[in-house]
Amino acid sequence: MSTLVARPLPARRSSDQRHALVAVAHVRLMMLMLLIGAGFLLVIVRIALLGLLGSPAGAATLTVNPVVRADILDRNGQPLARTIEAWTIGVRPAELLGDRQALAERLAAAMPEHDSAWYLQRLTMKAKFTYLDKHASPAMVNQIHALGEPGIVFAREPERLYPQSTMAAHALGYIGPTATDPNIMGRAGIERAFDARLTDPRHRGEPISLSIDARVQTAMESELGRAMVTFQAKAATGLVLDVHTGEVLAMVSLPVYNPNKLTGTTSDALRNNVTQSVYELGSTFKPITMATAIQSGTITSMARRFDATAPLKVGGFTIHDERGDPKRWLNIPETLIYSSNVATARIADELGKDKLSAMFTGMGFGERPSIELRERAGPIWPRYWGRTTVMTTAYGHGIAVTPLHLANAYATMVNGGIWRPTTLLKVAPGQAPAGRRVLSEATSARMRQLLRLVCLYGTGRKGDAPGYRVGGKTGTAEAASNGGYDHHRNVATFVAAFPMDAPRYVVLAMLDSPEGTRETGGWKTAAWNAAPVVGRVIARTGSILGVMPDTRRDVDISDLRPMLTLVAGATPPSGAEEQ
């Protein structure tokens, strides 16, 4: 019997086998690492392609301006325009998974601004991306997100918000794209005038402070809007101006628009009538003519009288006063109190073209109004200054300016005679521009007396506010139309300053094409419609502006009062206004 004994493998062979196994493991590990690396590479390439070729949610069809605009504040720090982050809801139609009709119905139920047909049209369009809502609330976003549709996307984008809605819209302006320019930028008002400053990253945390006082702006909008409705006017304009700094505290143009929602806004609403529309402003020019005559030395005595007994015929043109006005010789105070066209024309005839046109130029009437806004209209200046032109422009016919031009001229007349540019920016104490002297202190003082008399005894009585010592002048002119005049429409204006013993503010109200009412006896002139607006605005805002009513104070008119025939017992003017 033999025994077999197995011999062990040689140690070297076992070692070779282990080396082979290790080599295989290394190869497999290398392959795994290559696969992982390839996966990472694919992800990186995909991300790069998406970054280069993809469309971010909420920006597939619209150019979004990523720049955050600086805030705009009123003079007291109240926000008038600011940038917030708003939610947008959009859809990528190609990525929708569910039934589009059912989804459209659910969207219409959640966002009832549109019906299901509108949403279905959006869900089935060929575009890669389209918006469903650009101003969604967080609650709305959560509600739509709960629908679980991956094709609906959400994003947060900067949005310009005007928290006061329509207030001061024409001063603020608006932003947005246009048909020819897809960029989001300022398109009107301060937003346009200071677009570069508002979007400069270096000033992002520095808001622009305007001269506008939201409280005064609200009062003017309220009173002017009420008058516009009451008298069924086509348009209306209002201004409050600081006579010493040129700051605009209120700027109102009606009709108005909402800069938060421009859809459906008419061109009439977008137009800023304060700076873009020019008007023949009628008898509001008469005090400027008087100031010119006094300043030039043409008139040296307030007692000097001018013949107003009959209409004045110049060539083929006849200048007349309203029925009921006194047909007699009028002195200077009476000429303004009764608003005599005839007496004013005679004064202008003595002045001549050079003196009168030079004063108009000095008041800024020869150029666009001086203010930061881009929306400014130039005046309509007479091409030929014949004798008749000199006479008619003296009472506001044949020359057209903006309401801002007129308000600034009145500020010049009462502030001591210094013309300054107007501004919508808040002026720091002591930083008002030097301006230029147009009238002497003495002439300005005399004009304060004369304007006060108009509100005490003349056509401006309904514009007086008890205790505020208001002085001003009415003006009613036929509206220009198709190269001529519309005898059935007029422009009614009242411009005033207060307090006349130490003037601080000019207030202007203008109604375009007002109608008479039963309460006004059918009258549609400034004495009945525009003047009361100014009186109510002053009464509402005077104390806000730091002017306390005081019935014991007034401008000294003791040297002029004895000249007034009406003081001796005659009936004061009826309030009817000349054309």
Side-chain angles (χ1 to χ4, degrees):
M1 179 177 180
S2 61
T3 303
L4 295 177
V5 179
R7 297 178 58 186
L9 291 173
R12 182 174 179 178
R13 185 176 179 182
S14 175
S15 176
D16 289 342
Q17 191 175 22
R18 286 197 301 271
H19 282 298
L21 292 173
V22 170
V24 171
H26 283 175
V27 171
R28 291 177 177 175
L29 181 60
M30 183 65 70
M31 293 178 63
L32 179 61
M33 292 177 64
L34 288 173
L35 289 173
I36 294 174
F40 275 113
L41 182 61
L42 287 174
V43 171
I44 292 173
V45 171
R46 177 62 174 167
I47 292 174
L49 289 174
L50 287 174
L52 293 173
L53 305 176
S55 297
T61 59
L62 185 65
T63 301
V64 177
N65 190 344
V67 177
V68 178
R69 300 177 74 87
D71 290 351
I72 302 176
L73 312 177
D74 88 330
R75 65 185 304 107
N76 300 308
Q78 182 169 337
L80 301 178
R82 65 192 321 174
T83 299
I84 63 172
E85 279 197 343
W87 281 102
T88 61
I89 302 175
V91 62
R92 295 193 179 106
E95 298 179 15
L96 292 173
L97 299 179
D99 180 80
R100 286 170 170 74
Q101 179 62 53
L103 180 59
E105 294 174 358
R106 297 174 71 181
L107 289 173
M111 298 185 290
E113 293 83 4
H114 304 284
D115 58 19
S116 59
W118 186 89
Y119 288 109
L120 182 61
Q121 185 270 333
R122 294 276 170 164
L123 299 178
T124 56
M125 63 193 312
K126 300 299 183 181
K128 293 181 179 180
F129 172 88
T130 186
Y131 283 112
L132 296 178
D133 193 337
K134 293 185 180 181
H135 310 283
S137 65
M140 178 64 68
V141 170
N142 290 336
Q143 187 176 356
I144 302 303
H145 191 273
L147 298 179
E149 177 54 65
I152 296 179
V153 294
F154 310 89
R156 299 192 72 171
E157 298 175 358
E159 179 186 0
R160 197 62 163 170
L161 174 68
Y162 301 89
Q164 311 303 326
S165 186
T166 60
M167 190 184 78
H170 291 92
L172 293 172
Y174 57 92
I175 67 170
T178 65
T180 58
D181 186 352
N183 294 312
I184 305 296
M185 59 189 296
R187 299 296 177 182
I190 290 293
E191 294 279 26
R192 179 186 179 193
F194 291 92
D195 187 71
R197 160 67 175 79
L198 289 165
T199 57
D200 189 337
R202 296 170 297 177
H203 299 287
R204 186 173 298 172
E206 302 173 15
I208 290 181
S209 294
L210 300 188
S211 58
I212 295 290
D213 188 317
R215 302 166 298 177
V216 180
Q217 180 78 23
T218 299
M220 175 60 82
E221 290 183 1
S222 171
E223 295 296 343
L224 198 62
R226 183 170 73 169
M228 183 175 171
V229 172
T230 299
F231 297 102
Q232 303 176 51
K234 173 185 175 182
T237 297
L239 268 169
V240 179
L241 185 67
D242 187 311
V243 304
H244 296 296
T245 65
E247 292 172 285
V248 175
L249 278 74
M251 175 183 284
V252 182
S253 179
L254 301 177
V256 73
Y257 65 93
N258 185 348
N260 291 305
K261 187 177 182 181
L262 294 172
T263 303
T265 302
T266 65
S267 58
D268 287 342
L270 289 175
R271 187 176 185 83
N272 185 353
N273 291 317
V274 176
T275 61
Q276 284 184 279
S277 298
V278 296
Y279 306 90
E280 293 190 9
L281 294 170
S283 296
T284 58
F285 268 54
K286 290 174 182 173
I288 302 173
T289 302
M290 293 299 180
T292 308
I294 296 169
Q295 180 71 22
S296 65
T298 302
I299 292 176
T300 57
S301 171
M302 295 293 100
R304 184 180 172 188
R305 294 182 178 275
F306 292 85
D307 184 5
T309 58
L312 176 61
K313 294 185 178 181
V314 184
F317 191 80
T318 301
I319 298 172
H320 60 86
D321 288 332
E322 275 296 306
R323 291 174 298 174
D325 285 351
K327 301 299 186 284
R328 56 182 174 81
W329 289 66
L330 301 174
N331 59 35
I332 301 305
E334 289 173 338
T335 296
L336 284 181
I337 287 173
Y338 288 104
S339 198
S340 171
N341 293 339
V342 174
T344 303
R346 293 188 183 280
I347 294 171
D349 197 28
E350 288 194 21
L351 274 172
K353 174 246 181 181
D354 292 340
K355 292 178 181 178
L356 191 60
S357 63
M359 180 59 70
F360 289 162
T361 300
M363 292 292 187
F365 291 173
E367 56 190 8
R368 297 174 189 271
S370 179
I371 198 166
E372 295 85 0
L373 301 183
R374 304 281 184 85
E375 303 79 41
R376 298 176 299 148
I380 298 178
W381 195 262
R383 295 181 179 178
Y384 172 70
W385 285 82
R387 185 184 178 199
T388 302
T389 300
V390 173
M391 289 183 173
T392 57
T393 56
Y395 56 86
H397 285 252
I399 183 171
V401 298
T402 68
L404 184 58
H405 278 117
L406 184 66
N408 202 7
Y410 271 67
T412 303
M413 279 196 291
V414 303
N415 72 2
I418 304 297
W419 182 93
R420 292 184 178 87
T422 52
T423 180
L424 274 167
L425 299 181
K426 184 177 181 180
V427 175
Q431 298 300 312
R436 62 172 182 263
R437 180 163 293 282
V438 177
L439 301 172
S440 67
E441 288 275 5
T443 301
S444 179
R446 182 63 79 185
M447 294 312 301
R448 292 197 289 268
Q449 290 179 303
L450 293 172
L451 290 171
R452 178 65 176 138
L453 287 174
V454 175
C455 286
L456 286 174
Y457 306 112
T459 55
R461 285 173 296 157
K462 294 182 182 297
D464 195 17
Y468 287 104
R469 294 92 71 195
V470 180
K473 185 69 185 75
T474 55
T476 305
E478 289 180 345
S481 177
N482 299 321
Y485 295 95
D486 187 336
H487 301 298
H488 303 289
R489 293 174 47 229
N490 62 36
V491 176
T493 309
F494 183 60
V495 57
F498 77 101
M500 268 308 180
D501 51 323
R504 292 181 58 184
Y505 303 100
V506 162
V507 183
L508 177 148
M510 189 206 77
L511 295 172
D512 185 351
S513 308
E515 298 292 337
T517 66
R518 184 173 61 182
E519 289 72 17
T520 67
W523 288 104
K524 54 183 180 180
T525 54
W528 291 96
N529 48 45
V533 172
V534 171
R536 290 193 295 266
V537 169
I538 293 174
R540 287 180 60 173
T541 64
S543 58
I544 293 174
L545 294 171
V547 181
M548 295 297 111
D550 188 346
T551 57
R552 298 167 298 177
R553 298 177 56 185
D554 213 325
V555 63
D556 183 7
I557 56 173
S558 58
D559 61 329
L560 299 181
R561 192 185 298 272
M563 301 180 190
L564 307 183
T565 304
L566 58 89
V567 175
T571 302
S574 65
E577 185 70 31
E578 76 290 341
Q579 292 299 309

